[in-house]
């Protein structure tokens, strides 16, 4: 891998940018690997990267049915934060946050991680009590968090409507200053390039159609490009987790829903932070290109169609205009949907399964992007050691049998 | 937006309805005899198919009755609605 640097920029500029090498190879799949990762999204690529980097397992294939960055990794609203309520969840997301903070250097790829802060607004007294509780829980876990009042919100975010006469007046917010956004495509490309450089085969246009077993051990997968064998298979396919689980004869506590997002026409800089509101239910930030990046809640019904219903769009726009009346005449440029895998407790599953050598990483629901490095890091550990790291041990499949759920609904700063 | 047929009120816009998830999940008649895993399967696990899905809807802004819909989860095309009291489903109508 050619290292990217200021010098390489200048050198390639002098040759009219015609000599850039491909960022990762496009190898033919081999018949055998040590580990197969199903799913070439951010989480899958991060898993492969940390398998190679932290555990020395380089004979790894990442199988992607489409192209790298074409699924949820390229469809989210790029928010990164770690201010979850429960200790189990906040430590996992904080591990991810720490990896984000060094990720561009680690990958030698600018993921444009921008710690511009995230405000989670409170609109009722109960919202504010929940915010204070969550902020205190975060601080006890060593995670930066503070409570701000409506005046401070109004000062920090000039165009937000903090009028006490608003339909849902803003009473205050939690603020995590280390939170922010990252460039989602760059995260996928950066992990792909860095994993490839360590020997990982990234195989695009290769859909898994079956999971092969011998007794209760996994032996590999059937794909649209033939049989590929491996004693260990890690599945991290977001919305399609139940489909892959069914191939192995497993049932998961997951339902797939469409989650829509939008960008506006590009504007001059107007919002320099991230604002989320649980009560009116919308979230917004502004990309470096000037587009407002907007999201909200899932469509209620089960769906795999990567699109949702129009009234969900309307609901989202109502929320954004409630917060920012100044944006009422902004036109939306694009709208799309991704398929999110929602767990009953709004927490992920990073777990071994009853099938030996088969691992699942799923259930991230509406909030997986922020966890990309931490999820891959923990999943790589689980696969390499055949046991979870202590950070992801609480997130095993067994919790639905034992009842040790980690209920992040609503408490996770925005409804899922 | 989906156009959903309520068996009692006819075709109405999706915004009149609320969603109830997978249909046909019967509460075990005697939960005490179940293992924890069987109870968890009833409580949490879902088939979540990619394709034909039988699901519950409630006409919340209309007659407020529950009924079933068969819908494709990829194309979102609705094959039809059914009354739960037909015996075609295990939940009470």
């Amino acid at each position: 891998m050619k290292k990217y640097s200021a010098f390489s920029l200048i050198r390639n500029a002098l040759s009219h940018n015609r000599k850039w090498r491909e960022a990762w190879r496009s190898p033919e799949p081999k018949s055998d690997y040590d580990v197969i990762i199903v799913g070439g999204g951010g989480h899958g690529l991060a898993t492969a990267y940390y398998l190679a980097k932290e555990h020395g397992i380089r004979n790894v294939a990442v199988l992607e049915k489409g192209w790298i960055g074409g699924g949820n990794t390229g469809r989210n609203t790029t928010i990164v934060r770690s201010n979850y309520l429960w200790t189990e969840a906040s430590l996992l997301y904080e591990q991810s946050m720490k990896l984000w903070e060094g990720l561009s250097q680690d990958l030698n790829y600018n993921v444009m991680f921008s710690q511009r802060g995230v405000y989670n607004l409170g609109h009722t007294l109960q919202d504010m009590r929940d915010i204070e509780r969550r902020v205190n829980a975060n601080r006890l876990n060593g995670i930066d968090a503070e409570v701000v009042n409506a005046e401070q919100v109004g000062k920090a975010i000039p165009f937000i409507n903090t009028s006490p006469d608003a339909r849902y007046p803003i009473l205050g917010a939690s603020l995590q200053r280390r939170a922010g956004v990252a460039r989602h495509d760059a995260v996928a490309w950066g992990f792909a390039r860095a994993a490839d450089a360590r020997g990982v085969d990234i195989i695009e246009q290769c859909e898994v159609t079956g999971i092969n077993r011998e007794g209760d051990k996994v032996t590999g997968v059937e794909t649209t490009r033939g049989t590929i064998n491996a004693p260990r298979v890690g599945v991290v396919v977001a919305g399609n987790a139940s489909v892959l689980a069914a191939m192995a004869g497993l049932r998961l506590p997951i339902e797939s829903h469409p989650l829509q997002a939008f960008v506006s026409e590009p504007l001059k800089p107007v919002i320099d932070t991230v604002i989320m509101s649980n009560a009116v239910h919308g979230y917004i930030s502004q990309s470096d290109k000037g587009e407002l990046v907007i999201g909200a809640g899932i469509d209620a019904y089960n769906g795999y169609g990567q699109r949702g219903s129009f009234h969900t769009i309307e609901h989202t726009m109502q929320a954004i205009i409630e917060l920012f009346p100044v944006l009422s005449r902004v036109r939306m440029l694009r709208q799309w949907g991704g398929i999110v895998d929602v767990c009953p407790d709004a927490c992920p599953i990073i777990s071994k399964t009853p099938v030996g050598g088969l691992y699942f990483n799923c259930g991230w629901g509406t909030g997986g992007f922020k966890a990309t490095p931490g999820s891959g890091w923990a999943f790589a550990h689980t696969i390499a050691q055949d046991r979870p790291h202590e950070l992801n041990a609480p997130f095993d499949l067994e919790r639905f049998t034992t009842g040790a759920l980690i209920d992040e609904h609503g408490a996770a700063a925005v409804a899922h | 937006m989906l156009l959903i047929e309520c068996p009692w009120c006819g075709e109405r816009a999706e915004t009149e309805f609320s969603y109830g998830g997978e249909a046909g999940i019967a509460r075990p008649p005697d939960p005490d005899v179940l293992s924890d895993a069987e109870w968890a399967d009833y409580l949490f696990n879902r088939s979540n198919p990619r394709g034909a899905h039988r699901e519950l809807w409630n006409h919340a802004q209309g007659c407020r009755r529950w009924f079933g819909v068969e819908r494709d989860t990829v194309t979102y095309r609705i094959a039809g609605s059914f009354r739960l009291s037909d015996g075609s489903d295990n939940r009470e109508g």
Side-chain angles (χ1 to χ4, degrees), chain B residues 51-71:
Chain B
H53 189 228
R54 286 168 75 81
E55 58 196 21
L56 298 170
W57 286 85
N58 180 266
H59 195 184
Q61 306 292 323
C63 65
R64 305 186 65 184
R65 281 193 268 198
W66 286 97
F67 61 98
V69 170
E70 187 172 323
R71 187 179 59 92

Side-chain angles (χ1 to χ4, degrees), chain A residues 65 239-240 242-243 251-258 299-312 314 339 344 397 399-403 405, chain B residues 1-2 14-15 18-22 25 35-51 53 55 57 71-77:
Chain A
K65 74 172 177 179
N240 284 296
S242 299
V243 178
R251 276 160 60 81
L252 293 177
I254 278 179
E255 290 188 299
S256 298
H257 291 270
D299 277 74
Y301 48 74
N302 287 28
Y304 285 87
Q306 293 188 318
R307 64 188 189 284
S309 288
F310 195 80
H311 64 89
T312 306
E314 188 178 13
I339 302 305
L397 259 175
R399 76 178 187 267
F400 297 96
T401 302
T402 62
L405 272 61
Chain B
M1 191 183 306
L2 304 178
E14 182 194 337
T15 44
S18 59
Y19 184 65
E22 182 176 338
I25 299 172
S35 67
D36 285 351
E38 288 167 327
W39 182 245
D41 188 61
Y42 158 70
L43 212 53
F44 297 121
N45 288 346
R46 296 293 177 264
S47 56
N48 192 25
R50 190 183 168 96
H53 189 228
E55 58 196 21
W57 286 85
R71 187 179 59 92
D72 188 296
T73 58
V74 179
T75 63
Y76 300 167
R77 186 163 294 131

Side-chain angles (χ1 to χ4, degrees), chain A residues 112-332:
Chain A
M112 297 166 75
F113 181 48
S114 163
Q115 293 177 295
R116 58 184 68 183
V118 169
Y119 289 83
N120 294 106
L121 301 175
H123 299 261
T124 64
L125 285 176
Q126 188 57 45
D127 274 0
M128 292 312 298
R129 290 186 196 110
D130 289 342
I131 281 170
E132 281 175 33
R133 181 187 179 203
R134 180 163 46 76
V135 164
N136 283 320
N138 290 159
R139 294 170 79 126
L140 286 170
N141 282 322
I143 296 167
D144 76 305
E146 52 199 278
V147 180
V148 292
N149 61 29
E151 196 185 335
Q152 290 167 298
V153 170
K155 221 173 235 170
I157 310 163
F159 294 105
I160 200 164
N161 180 15
T162 52
S163 159
D165 299 329
R167 174 71 181 85
Y168 302 100
I170 293 167
L171 302 185
S174 72
L175 167 61
Q176 186 180 19
R177 293 186 193 271
R178 285 163 66 237
V181 293
R183 172 79 200 281
H184 50 5
D185 294 323
V187 175
W189 300 334
F191 271 119
R193 174 169 169 272
D196 177 89
R198 289 171 190 268
V200 172
D201 281 359
I202 295 167
I203 301 161
E204 296 172 81
Q205 309 292 338
C206 180
E207 182 171 356
V208 170
T209 54
I211 293 175
N212 296 333
R213 295 167 56 164
E214 230 174 67
D216 44 8
K217 289 277 296 172
V218 75
T219 59
V221 295
E222 294 297 326
T223 78
T224 49
R225 294 173 69 172
T227 306
I228 307 176
N229 300 310
R232 281 175 285 182
V233 175
V235 180
V236 46
V237 294
N240 284 296
S242 299
V243 178
L244 270 287
M247 290 178 192
L250 303 174
R251 276 160 60 81
L252 293 177
I254 278 179
E255 290 188 299
S256 298
H257 291 270
L259 175 63
Q260 304 186 68
F262 323 90
V263 292
S264 73
E265 58 190 337
L267 307 174
K268 289 279 169 85
V270 57
I271 293 173
D272 65 353
T273 181
V274 182
I275 300 112
M276 312 179 72
S277 168
N278 199 354
V280 300
H281 210 173
Y283 34 93
I284 184 167
S285 63
Q286 188 170 21
S287 76
D288 292 343
K289 282 191 287 184
E291 300 158 334
L292 300 172
V293 184
I294 294 167
I298 56 173
D299 277 74
Y301 48 74
N302 287 28
Y304 285 87
Q306 293 188 318
R307 64 188 189 284
S309 288
F310 195 80
H311 64 89
T312 306
I313 302 174
E314 188 178 13
H315 179 76
T316 308
M317 293 310 152
Q318 282 169 353
I320 295 305
I321 292 168
E322 168 73 21
L323 298 176
F324 293 96
V326 69
L327 300 180
S328 66
R329 289 177 191 80
V330 174
R331 294 190 184 92
M332 290 299 122

